Amino acid sequence: MAIARYSFLPWLRRGIANQIQAAANGAPRAELDAVLTLETQKAKTGNENQLTDTATQKLRLIGPGDITGIHKNMVVRTEPRNWITDFEPNYLAFIEFYDEDFPWRYSPEPPTGHRLHPWLALMVVKDSEFDRVTMPGRPLPAIKLKGANWQNFLPPANQTWAWAHVHINEIINNAALTDHDFSEADRSALENILKNNPDAGISRLVSPRHLEPKTPYHAFVIPAFEVGRKAGLAIEVQDTDSGTASSWTNGQVEFPYYYEWFFRTSEAGDFETLVRRLVPRDMDSRVGIRNMDVQQPGYGVNDVDTQYTDPVTGITHPEDVVGLEGALKAPTTRSIPLSAGSDFEEKVEPVINQQFVLLDEAGDKPDEDPTIAPPLYGMWHAMAKRLSIATEDANWVNELNKDPRHRAEGGMGTSVVQKNQESYMRSAWQQVGSVLEMNRKIHFTQLSMWVSQMMYDKHLKKMPPERSFLLTAPVHSKVKGSPFTIKYLTRNSRLPQAVAAGAFRKALRPRGLMARRLLPAGSAFTHSATLLQGLNDGRLTAAPPLVLPKETPTTSVIVDGLKPATPNGGVSSAAAKKALLMLIAAILILLVIIFKSSSALMILICVALIVFALLRYWRFIKGGKLSPQDQQKEEAAESFEPVNMTPAAVAT
């Protein structure tokens, strides 16, 4: 069965509309310059002279303001279908059109990158959110929305491009497309696909509304531009109307529609609901494990002692089985290993090692029957020559081969390999090319590491620490000097971060202009000795911030000195005005609370607060005093004397 292949495009438009260069912001339709070129030939004394003349004319293209209906055959599918009553509430409603370019065909603007706003929009509303409007003479039926929550019905006007796309049932140009590589070859391939099979592509318009369970909905295809809304409502479109203005950004509540269908959502039952109903539970401890008798394994290992005697109590426990574990086990599965008193390991070691003993014996007789022994699993991977059950020889090969549970699993794996060894070998040979390529990359990586080490030993290792610190400053954020990067350690040290900046290092480089000007000829300028080491030792520091002298008159003091002084013990006009505004605001708030509240206690409290505020304002006006800050400003203004700002005074 072939895997389905699809391609999705953000928009598609054909014909002369692709020549639109500017959006129709000041006119209801997009305009183009049509150029007519005339070529004539004139006979003159046996010679023919060609004459060329051109004429240019403005053309206005058909736009949303000229559309008053769409043919029902243009719609090939709605999701959900009309009058479906069990639609999944976590899905989105959409409508599909037969023509791939239909949602963008009459858009009065050029595309912006990979975005083009469609001239249609899909609005989904509840029964209680709209009323039908019937008015004779209108070319389209209309609805009127209730309330101001239109954000729930439609996307933002600048994001309508995201809710329409083109669906192609093939891979265009036999390559996966991204939003950056749609070339002329891809356009030609798309045209050939649609030419050979017009049914291979559709356009889709999606509603962004999140649906609620057990709710009836009506879906309407409406104009996305204001000129289309006016045309559908029989409102005259003016020549000054903007062709790109959205039909729902200025609080419009009445919309015509081109197509309508009804559906109802279900309560539950979709795949998401089933997944959310899954409840984890603890599995039985017997899941993933199976009892295996190891008393008579065979191949010379027989009469295995599987009894275990408790050294404390002296009680003998018969343990004739072990637990053969599968690849999938429950977290509660209890392993059943060999008992502590089992002699399986002592009996299996000489049987497995017998093959190696015979190979090592000198003078092996070739005429004798060969000895077949159990295999040593993993011997080729670990280059093992013997099985050892000694504690000091513990490794994964010995642990695998001395445990009957692991040996049983290894035997199963061997059977699988033997059954499929031909296909495995074929796949291995096919991977040789990849292995060689990977080895080549590994060799290049090793070479780069050796070269880097040689450059480090030749240059950085011989430098003083201060010099190497400045040279490697650009990579401090990528190199760790501890659990933290060197840049982080520098930021928390005595050194200012500016010493590692490129501009600072460039200005103070040994052969730089500043070094040549500041030092005598022939002198060596060492950045590390003079600056970096001094900053690190604490002998040098950056210049402290400038502090304004205490007696210097500031702008605020000068401005306050120009204001008229208030009477002694009184309140300034600015303060009185501010207090009055605050009083009025407080009284208005309390009056609103009184009118809205039905509690007698709350009304009494608000009246008491109004009386208290009036008394405080009266005391503030009649007997109030200046605050300490205002009093200080008043005294500074009275004692301020203009300074003779002569060049000499400025110099001092």
Side-chain angles (χ1 to χ4, degrees):
M1 181 177 66
I3 300 177
R5 304 289 185 179
Y6 304 111
S7 299
F8 294 91
L9 303 177
W11 61 273
L12 179 63
R13 188 162 62 179
R14 296 174 173 177
I16 196 174
N18 285 325
Q19 304 301 322
I20 297 176
Q21 300 295 328
N25 292 326
R29 300 177 182 85
E31 294 183 350
L32 293 176
D33 289 335
V35 180
L36 177 64
T37 302
L38 301 177
E39 296 182 356
T40 61
Q41 292 182 350
K42 182 178 179 182
K44 182 178 180 181
T45 62
N47 297 326
E48 293 184 353
N49 297 329
Q50 183 173 349
L51 301 179
T52 303
D53 194 8
T54 60
T56 304
Q57 179 65 38
K58 289 284 187 181
L59 295 182
R60 291 188 175 183
L61 302 182
I62 295 177
D66 302 307
I67 309 300
T68 57
I70 62 176
H71 200 281
K72 63 179 181 179
N73 291 341
M74 185 63 67
V75 179
V76 295
R77 178 191 175 196
T78 61
E79 183 65 25
R81 291 179 294 173
N82 193 23
W83 279 99
I84 286 292
T85 58
D86 58 351
F87 186 62
E88 293 86 346
N90 61 330
Y91 288 3
L92 296 178
F94 61 84
I95 184 172
E96 295 178 351
F97 303 101
Y98 184 79
D99 289 349
E100 300 80 10
D101 64 335
F102 185 68
W104 306 273
R105 181 177 296 171
Y106 305 109
S107 297
E109 58 183 10
T112 304
H114 297 278
R115 301 176 179 179
L116 180 60
H117 296 93
W119 65 279
L120 297 172
L122 181 60
M123 178 170 60
V124 176
V125 294
K126 302 178 184 177
D127 284 334
S128 60
E129 294 174 342
F130 75 98
D131 290 327
R132 296 186 182 274
V133 179
T134 303
M135 185 174 294
R138 286 184 172 180
L140 290 174
I143 60 173
K144 186 175 183 180
L145 301 180
K146 296 180 182 179
N149 295 328
W150 59 267
Q151 299 92 336
N152 298 331
F153 312 149
L154 295 165
N158 60 347
Q159 296 181 11
T160 56
W161 58 268
W163 300 98
H165 59 265
V166 181
H167 181 154
I168 307 297
N169 289 326
E170 294 184 24
I171 294 295
I172 300 176
N173 204 17
N174 295 324
L177 299 177
T178 66
D179 57 348
H180 299 287
D181 59 0
F182 198 72
S183 61
E184 289 296 334
D186 298 326
R187 292 186 178 90
S188 300
L190 176 60
E191 291 295 334
N192 292 332
I193 292 174
L194 298 179
K195 181 179 179 181
N196 297 329
N197 184 12
D199 299 335
I202 58 171
S203 55
R204 185 176 293 119
L205 201 62
V206 186
S207 169
R209 180 163 190 174
H210 179 72
L211 304 179
E212 300 176 5
K214 299 183 65 176
T215 305
Y217 287 97
H218 294 262
F220 299 97
V221 178
I222 65 172
F225 295 99
E226 177 65 11
V227 291
R229 191 186 74 89
K230 287 184 175 182
L233 297 177
I235 301 175
E236 184 179 358
V237 179
Q238 304 295 330
D239 292 339
T240 57
D241 289 344
S242 175
T244 59
S246 174
S247 62
W248 60 80
T249 55
N250 293 326
Q252 298 90 332
V253 295
E254 190 172 356
F255 294 91
Y257 59 89
Y258 304 109
Y259 192 84
E260 172 195 8
W261 79 93
F262 171 82
F263 65 92
R264 183 187 295 270
T265 55
S266 61
E267 180 179 7
D270 59 341
F271 182 75
E272 179 182 354
T273 304
L274 297 178
V275 172
R276 294 186 181 278
R277 287 183 177 179
L278 295 177
V279 178
R281 63 181 179 88
D282 293 336
M283 299 295 293
D284 192 281
S285 60
R286 295 170 295 178
V287 173
I289 191 170
R290 176 180 297 182
N291 292 337
M292 183 175 65
D293 189 351
V294 295
Q295 294 188 49
Q296 302 293 335
Y299 285 97
V301 182
N302 299 310
D303 300 326
V304 176
D305 184 8
T306 59
Q307 293 183 347
Y308 169 66
T309 302
D310 193 330
V312 178
T313 62
I315 300 175
T316 301
H317 302 276
E319 296 285 348
D320 57 347
V321 296
V322 295
L324 181 62
E325 301 175 1
L328 297 178
K329 298 185 299 181
T332 56
T333 300
R334 183 179 62 88
S335 298
I336 307 177
L338 284 171
S339 61
S342 174
D343 58 352
F344 176 83
E345 297 180 359
E346 289 78 4
K347 290 186 176 182
V348 78
E349 181 183 21
V351 173
I352 295 177
N353 292 336
Q354 183 180 5
Q355 54 183 318
F356 305 108
V357 173
L358 295 177
L359 290 176
D360 294 340
E361 287 181 355
D364 187 23
K365 300 178 181 180
D367 55 342
E368 294 184 359
D369 294 335
T371 301
I372 305 299
L376 180 64
Y377 295 115
M379 60 176 295
W380 302 112
H381 300 82
M383 301 298 292
K385 300 298 184 182
R386 292 286 191 279
L387 169 62
S388 176
I389 62 174
T391 306
E392 60 272 11
D393 296 334
N395 54 50
W396 69 270
V397 178
N398 294 329
E399 293 294 331
L400 167 64
N401 286 273
K402 71 181 183 179
D403 194 318
R405 300 173 299 168
H406 300 158
R407 288 194 59 84
E409 295 165 351
M412 296 177 187
T414 301
S415 300
V416 174
V417 173
Q418 291 175 346
K419 182 179 180 181
N420 303 280
Q421 57 185 353
E422 295 298 331
S423 60
Y424 291 160
M425 184 60 67
R426 183 167 53 253
S427 299
W429 279 110
Q430 292 175 352
Q431 297 175 8
V432 170
S434 301
V435 171
L436 296 177
E437 178 64 22
M438 185 57 62
N439 289 337
R440 188 162 146 299
K441 292 182 179 180
I442 293 175
H443 295 159
F444 283 149
T445 304
Q446 292 174 343
L447 176 61
S448 63
M449 293 173 62
W450 293 334
V451 172
S452 300
Q453 183 65 38
M454 293 177 62
M455 295 181 65
Y456 171 80
D457 295 338
K458 182 178 180 181
H459 300 287
L460 288 178
K461 193 174 182 179
K462 298 179 180 179
M463 286 185 181
E466 298 83 3
R467 181 61 180 165
S468 62
F469 173 81
L470 295 175
L471 184 64
T472 59
V475 296
H476 284 176
S477 60
K478 302 181 182 300
V479 179
K480 286 187 176 181
S482 67
F484 306 99
T485 61
I486 297 180
K487 185 176 182 179
Y488 176 83
L489 297 176
T490 304
R491 187 166 59 246
N492 292 275
S493 66
R494 292 181 180 179
L495 292 176
Q497 297 186 44
V499 299
F504 190 82
R505 293 184 285 109
K506 181 179 179 181
L508 297 181
R509 63 188 186 275
R511 296 185 180 87
L513 179 62
M514 185 176 295
R516 294 198 303 269
R517 289 183 177 180
L518 294 178
L519 298 177
S523 299
F525 179 77
T526 58
H527 183 282
S528 59
T530 57
L531 290 179
L532 196 63
Q533 191 63 43
L535 291 171
N536 187 57
D537 295 341
R539 294 182 287 102
L540 299 178
T541 181
L546 298 178
V547 180
L548 190 67
K550 296 182 179 180
E551 300 180 356
T552 303
T554 61
T555 307
S556 60
V557 174
I558 297 174
V559 173
D560 292 339
L562 298 177
K563 295 180 180 179
T566 58
N568 293 333
V571 180
S572 63
S573 59
K577 183 177 180 181
K578 182 178 180 181
L580 179 59
L581 293 176
M582 294 177 63
L583 175 64
I584 294 174
I587 292 176
L588 290 177
I589 294 174
L590 293 173
L591 289 176
V592 171
I593 296 175
I594 290 173
F595 285 113
K596 294 291 185 179
S597 177
S598 59
S599 174
L601 179 61
M602 181 61 68
I603 295 175
L604 183 60
I605 293 175
C606 292
V607 172
L609 290 175
I610 292 176
V611 175
F612 177 75
L614 292 173
L615 292 177
R616 291 291 298 175
Y617 177 72
W618 179 262
R619 291 184 59 188
F620 179 73
I621 295 298
K622 294 300 182 181
K625 295 183 179 181
L626 294 175
S627 62
Q629 294 82 359
D630 294 338
Q631 186 68 27
Q632 184 179 1
K633 291 182 180 180
E634 294 290 346
E635 294 176 357
E638 293 176 359
S639 61
F640 173 72
E641 295 181 1
V643 180
N644 186 13
M645 304 303 288
T646 62
V650 174
T652 58

